[in-house]
Amino acid sequence: KMGSDNLSVESEANLKELATHLQLDVDNDILEDSNFTPLMLAVMFGPPKSVEIIINKVGKEGLLKKTRKSYDAKLFANCRNDDDIQRHFKTNGRHQCEPCQACSLM
């Protein structure tokens, strides 16, 4: 059991580090949801280049990860509405999301 706790603390620390490094203004409840990934943070708040760098590192696996509320990076990319970010998620056009819960985090 302890192993899994260590993992979430570690990923939380990494997110905080990443947020500081990219000078992102990120809510603590995002940083404390251990299921958020660096990719999601980059998609939500980071410069498009950071999204590309992280995708190259985590590959397709990283795209599939979901938060506790089942949001994934693609959903956040849709909320962000930035062509440079969205092109990594190969969607056909932007889904109309009535400001969804995911968008409200951004």
Side-chain angles (χ1 to χ4, degrees), residues 6-26:
N6 288 347
L7 191 82
S8 67
V9 167
E10 195 175 282
S11 63
E12 190 183 310
N14 291 345
L15 283 186
K16 286 186 174 152
E17 232 168 80
L18 181 74
T20 308
H21 179 68
L22 293 173
Q23 298 173 328
L24 307 178
D25 179 22
V26 183

Side-chain angles (χ1 to χ4, degrees), residues 45-84:
F45 306 106
K49 188 75 186 148
S50 67
V51 174
E52 190 175 331
I53 291 167
I54 294 173
I55 287 178
N56 290 338
K57 253 186 153 157
V58 299
K60 292 280 172 261
E61 292 270 283
L63 298 180
L64 303 174
K65 295 208 161 95
K66 294 191 181 291
T67 67
R68 289 180 187 155
K69 292 184 174 165
S70 295
Y71 306 145
D72 59 16
K74 184 174 181 175
L75 180 64
F76 292 125
N78 187 55
C79 296
R80 178 88 182 257
N81 200 14
D82 179 311
D83 292 339
D84 283 335

Side-chain angles (χ1 to χ4, degrees), residues 13-41:
N14 291 345
L15 283 186
K16 286 186 174 152
E17 232 168 80
L18 181 74
T20 308
H21 179 68
L22 293 173
Q23 298 173 328
L24 307 178
D25 179 22
V26 183
D27 271 7
N28 263 341
D29 40 330
I30 289 178
L31 297 174
E32 284 158 14
D33 180 336
S34 55
N35 294 356
F36 270 83
T37 64
L39 175 60
M40 291 173 193
L41 274 197

